[in-house]
Structures are given as C-alpha cells and as structure tokens.
Amino acid sequence: MRQVGDLSASVGYAMKEAASALRSAMDDALRPLDLSVSQYSSLEVLGQRPGISAAELARRTFVTRQSMHGVLTGLAARGLLTRPDAAPQGRALPTELTAAGRDLLRQASRAVAEVESRMVEGLSAEDLRRLHGDLVRCAETLRGGTTTG
Amino acid sequence: MRQVGDLSASVGYAMKEAASALRSAMDDALRPLDLSVSQYSSLEVLGQRPGISAAELARRTFVTRQSMHGVLTGLAARGLLTRPDAAPQGRALPTELTAAGRDLLRQASRAVAEVESRMVEGLSAEDLRRLHGDLVRCAETLRGGTTTG
DNA sequence: CACCGTATGTCAGGATACTGACATGCGGCA
DNA sequence: TGCCGCATGTCAGTATCCTGACATACGGTG
C-alpha cells in the first residue's frame, strides 16, 4: 500500500470515526454531571488505582502530565480528590478520591457503561472479545516503534 | 453491566488507547511535512471529494465547521487549496486542492499509509476486514441514538 | 408574496491539550 | 563525595477545538 486510498476502506479512518462517536456520546452522557471525558477518565483510573502519581495517571488516560495537572487542579477544587502538599517520598504526590469523588464516579461510570454497552449492542460476545484484543494489539504495535515491519 | 469496571477489559478504553496511539504516530509521521492530523485529514478528504463545502468537510473529518474554518484558512494561506470569494450558489464555498496541495497530500498520504500498515501488521486480512466492519458498526450504532437497546 | 425551517459561513469567547522549559528528588556510578 | 540520567511537578506560551451567536441563502408552505 503506497497511499491511504479510499477512506471508506481505511482502518485508521474507521477508528477515528468510532473514537469520535464514542467521545461525543460520552460527552453527552457526562454533561449532566458536569464532567468532561478527561475528568471522568481520571476519576475512573483513580478509583481503580488509588494513590498513583499524576504522571502515571496521565499515561493511563493518554494525555500529557501537563494536561493532567490542570485536570487534577480542577477536580481538587471541586473536592472530588485530595493531594498531599508535600511528597511523602520522591516527588510524586499520591492522589486519592474523596467520598464525594467516589460517589460522582459511581454515577459517571454508570452513565458511561450505558454508552459502551449501546455501542457494542450489535456485536456477539466473541466479536467483542476479539475487537478488544485487536484494538489493544494495534495500540501496542504502534507504540512498539517498529519502523517498518 | 452497571458500571464500567476493570478498565483493562473495557472496549471503550481500548478504543481510546488505540486512537491515541494512532494519532500520536500520525503526528510524528506528519510533523516533517508541517501538517497536523486535522490538516492532513482535510487534504485527504478534499482529494477524494473535490469541491465539497467546508461544513461537509467538517462532518467527514469529525470536527465542527467552526474548527474546519480555521483549518481551511491556514491551508489556504499556505497555498494548498483554493476557495472562491463568492458562493456560486447558496452559501457553500466549494473548496479544491491546488497543485501544491495535491503534491503535499501525496507525500502525507504515503507517510500515513505506512503508519496504518504498521498498526495492523499483526492482523490477518480477515481480521482486518472484520475490525474495520466492527468499528464502523460501533460508530453507526452510537450515532443512531438508540437510547438503551 | 411573506414566513419559517434548515444549512452554510463567520466571529467571539472559553476550555482543553500540547510543546518547551525549569526545579526538585532519587538512584547508579566513578 | 560528586556527577549524571531519569522521573515528577509546575509554569508559560501556543495551538486546537468547542459552544454560542449572528447573518445569509435556499426551499417549502400558507
């Protein structure tokens, strides 16, 4: 393949299309809770990995740590999470959800789960498993940095 | 499913991961040509559908027409595309690539095709076809607006 | 003809994410 | 001990994208 060619046949275009539709649907679902997708993602990761650093959180939500800094500042101002003033060791400031944060996360996670299940409602369990595996493989391959293959 | 649950099992999370990796790889591949992903996407769509309006172009590249306005202004200033001063009919201004635009698109499309083929290098032709179909189906289902399913 | 709904282009403002840069803390190594 | 590499947090500036709003042009309907 020398060039991209017909976009309707491009996997990358389809991925962008699906990701865009997902983001848009998540935005709609989260708007009543006054949460952006990035904010929700941060809460969700923090719920599963309490006490991780902002840099680690950034990597897991696929943004830079500079962007994550702004997100955390906003969420902390709303009392949804807490960060120590000083690092207990090294430079990392372990972040944790407050009770309010956990409560809002519960609502948000429910709304997002609805979006996700609607998204894949036309797929069988096996299709779903394979789709998930293929997506993860694509991401790993790209990040791997194999220049050509 | 009431909540999202383990993120490593979430299709939405995997989709975000893959889309993020793809965008990042495309950014790297396009940087030498001084093109952003949005700019490249616009050129690619314009190459396949010369003369479409900015609003139509925006829909096909998954951004708002306001964002597209800025993209087109920038590309036009670089002489990569042309837009008439007045609409030949209605309000739509049919946009077309210049020779320089087509030339740059050719280079960009080659770079992006390399990224795409690297991304799916671990998948068989049938896997690829199915992945593409599943992604398109997910996007259509989400946009369909079925509230629950 | 007048009115209304829809689509397009555009301007303004704000939110978000990125690159670049700098300081701090830890660990390895001479 | 001193030096270097690396990771983290943070600030500043820039680029990008979004929502909201307004004017314009077309088509349908009374």
Side-chain angles (χ1 to χ4, degrees), chain A residues 5 15 23 36-37 42 46 55 58 78 85 102-103 113 116 122-123 131 140 142-143 148:
Chain A
M15 189 173 288
R23 183 182 185 88
S36 70
V37 172
S42 302
L46 272 176
R78 286 167 64 178
D85 292 339
R102 281 188 295 273
D103 189 65
E116 267 204 42
L123 275 59
L131 173 60
E140 283 173 353
L142 274 181
R143 270 199 307 267
T148 311

Side-chain angles (χ1 to χ4, degrees), chain A residues 35-49:
Chain A
L35 282 176
S36 70
V37 172
S38 290
Q39 290 173 324
Y40 155 72
S41 300
S42 302
L43 293 181
E44 187 76 63
V45 172
L46 272 176
Q48 295 189 14
R49 311 208 168 238

Side-chain angles (χ1 to χ4, degrees), chain A residues 48-106:
Chain A
Q48 295 189 14
R49 311 208 168 238
I52 66 175
S53 70
E56 178 65 23
L57 186 54
R59 280 188 293 271
R60 290 181 184 272
T61 55
F62 315 112
V63 297
T64 63
R65 65 185 197 280
Q66 292 91 329
S67 300
M68 182 52 61
H69 182 257
V71 172
L72 290 183
T73 301
L75 292 176
R78 286 167 64 178
L80 300 174
L81 52 83
T82 58
R83 306 182 73 193
D85 292 339
Q89 157 232 11
R91 294 217 71 198
L93 301 174
T95 307
E96 296 199 10
L97 296 182
T98 62
R102 281 188 295 273
D103 189 65
L104 186 58
L105 167 59
R106 204 160 13 237

